[in-house]
Amino acid sequence: MSSASLNVEIRRIRELAPGIREFSLSRTDGEDFPVYSGGSHIVLSLPLGDRPHRNPYSLLGDPTVRDTWRVAVRKQEESRGGSRWLHEQAREGMRIDISAPVNLFPLIRTGRRHILVAGGIGITPILSQARELARLGADFEVHYAYRGPEFGVFSNELEALAPGRVHHYVQSRREQIEFGSLLAGRPLGTHFYICGPAGMVAASMNAGKSLGWPESHLHSEQFLAPTGGEPFDVKLALSGKAFTVPSDLSLLEAIEQQGVDAPYLCRGGACGQCELEVLGAEGELIHHDLYLSADERASGKKIMPCVSRLKGGCLTLNL
Ligand code: FES
């Protein structure tokens, strides 16, 4: 893994709602976890078949609690196996490897006010951010949208952290966040943070920009799950490896399976850490990431192997 790996035991599994499970993890060496910052995620290495399957999940507990880390996982029906394994095969007492925490969604501590917005399972990084803000005595509010009353799984924890400052939006009651009014007329120095479905994130960003919010005050997190696709061939120019990426593996996973160490942080197309230089592409690069600019995509010189692929013949990478 690109960051230090820790072996942990699944101490407790809680069924929070249909298709949502929470996992409490403790180190198997008896040591404490490091303190992390609100918004951090870890990567779980899950034992699927003959290779580990690595998925990122946000830490949702109290960042200062060092004997237990908590993550919540929504079962993705279209999953290639990671969330399904966690829902169908994971048991208390099992051991898995996890990465050290990485924060791609940090709070801006100098902010004068903080607006936190969560859609569905996007509540997980927002919850740890809310804990951090509550501990700092910061001025913040939370807007939590979910499908039906049974899916507001962290409502009580949020209410305890921010009494009177948590706003609920229940989709089955036709309640939704109006980003135009939420973001209008906010005082200078306000920061906005959102984690949720792509359409919701895009709507909030568009509303903020059209209201004149500086981009530096609009923060979002969105991890994409790698999608499968047609197999394609890869040549690694530096290591001399040549192999085929099968339809059910990402390019990054296929590179790792060759024993080649490739960098990554989010494994979800968001951070840019896994960027590789394309030396040649016989076919069309299919970019799924959220990182490359339109010009970078058009250049055909870069690819994010955690989520993007080639449609066609052979891809040659400077690796
Ligand atoms: S690991 Fe973050 S974009 Fe690929």
Side-chain angles (χ1 to χ4, degrees):
M1 304 177 82
S2 68
S3 49
S5 166
L6 298 170
N7 188 253
V8 297
E9 179 180 317
I10 301 173
R11 278 290 174 84
R12 186 167 176 231
I13 300 176
R14 281 203 305 152
E15 307 289 341
L16 300 180
I20 302 178
R21 276 184 147 188
E22 182 191 271
F23 296 83
S24 298
L25 311 170
S26 295
R27 287 176 66 152
T28 55
D29 60 8
E31 298 288 322
D32 280 342
F33 286 118
V35 172
Y36 61 91
S37 52
S40 296
H41 76 270
I42 54 175
V43 175
L44 273 57
S45 286
L46 307 171
L48 268 74
D50 57 357
R51 57 187 163 81
H53 188 104
R54 291 172 179 151
N55 279 11
Y57 294 104
S58 296
L59 290 164
L60 61 87
D62 182 337
T64 62
V65 170
R66 301 185 59 188
D67 60 350
T68 307
W69 278 353
R70 295 161 58 202
V71 297
V73 178
R74 182 166 70 89
K75 187 177 183 183
Q76 314 264 6
E77 291 308 332
E78 67 283 8
S79 153
R80 297 166 316 134
S83 72
R84 192 175 306 147
W85 186 90
L86 285 163
H87 274 264
E88 296 176 1
Q89 296 184 50
R91 299 283 179 270
E92 291 175 356
M94 282 182 167
R95 294 181 169 202
I96 57 174
D97 286 331
I98 64 171
S99 72
V102 170
N103 199 344
L104 303 173
F105 192 37
L107 291 163
I108 307 302
R109 290 202 173 204
T110 52
R112 288 174 53 198
R113 187 178 180 87
H114 305 265
I115 305 171
L116 309 181
V117 175
I121 197 66
I123 188 63
T124 53
I126 296 294
L127 192 52
S128 68
Q129 288 182 328
R131 287 184 205 286
E132 189 166 320
L133 290 169
R135 198 177 60 253
L136 293 170
D139 182 3
F140 74 102
E141 62 193 60
V142 184
H143 299 262
Y144 184 16
Y146 39 91
R147 276 185 286 162
E150 71 275 33
F151 290 101
V153 291
F154 294 112
S155 295
N156 292 343
E157 287 189 50
L158 275 176
E159 296 285 356
L161 286 170
R165 287 178 285 160
V166 183
H167 306 267
H168 299 265
Y169 305 81
V170 184
Q171 202 180 330
S172 62
R173 296 185 194 137
R174 300 186 182 284
E175 298 164 355
Q176 62 175 7
I177 303 174
E178 297 294 340
F179 288 107
S181 48
L182 179 64
L183 294 175
R186 295 294 187 157
L188 283 176
T190 303
H191 282 259
F192 174 80
Y193 310 81
I194 183 168
C195 185
M200 184 181 180
V201 172
S204 69
M205 294 293 125
N206 290 338
K209 286 173 196 162
S210 65
L211 287 165
W213 277 61
E215 288 195 23
S216 59
H217 288 44
L218 297 169
H219 314 277
S220 65
E221 181 160 80
Q222 212 185 323
F223 287 157
L224 306 172
T227 55
E230 293 173 21
F232 58 97
D233 295 329
V234 173
K235 286 183 193 157
L236 303 183
L238 298 183
S239 62
K241 304 253 185 193
F243 54 94
T244 298
V245 180
S247 57
D248 64 339
L249 280 193
S250 70
L251 172 55
L252 178 60
E253 290 164 338
I255 290 170
E256 290 171 336
Q257 207 171 52
Q258 295 295 315
V260 176
D261 196 18
Y264 69 83
L265 282 180
C266 72
R267 302 183 78 91
C271 71
Q273 186 70 19
C274 66
E275 178 182 305
L276 292 177
E277 182 186 357
V278 174
L279 298 178
E282 296 165 13
E284 182 190 357
L285 294 172
I286 308 294
H287 295 288
H288 291 297
D289 65 273
L290 303 164
Y291 186 81
L292 291 177
S293 67
D295 285 349
E296 286 173 319
R297 289 179 177 212
S299 76
K301 299 279 190 235
K302 295 179 177 180
I303 190 167
M304 297 297 164
C306 62
V307 291
S308 300
R309 324 177 52 89
L310 180 80
K311 184 177 170 62
C314 185
L315 179 66
T316 305
L317 297 169
N318 190 18
L319 182 67

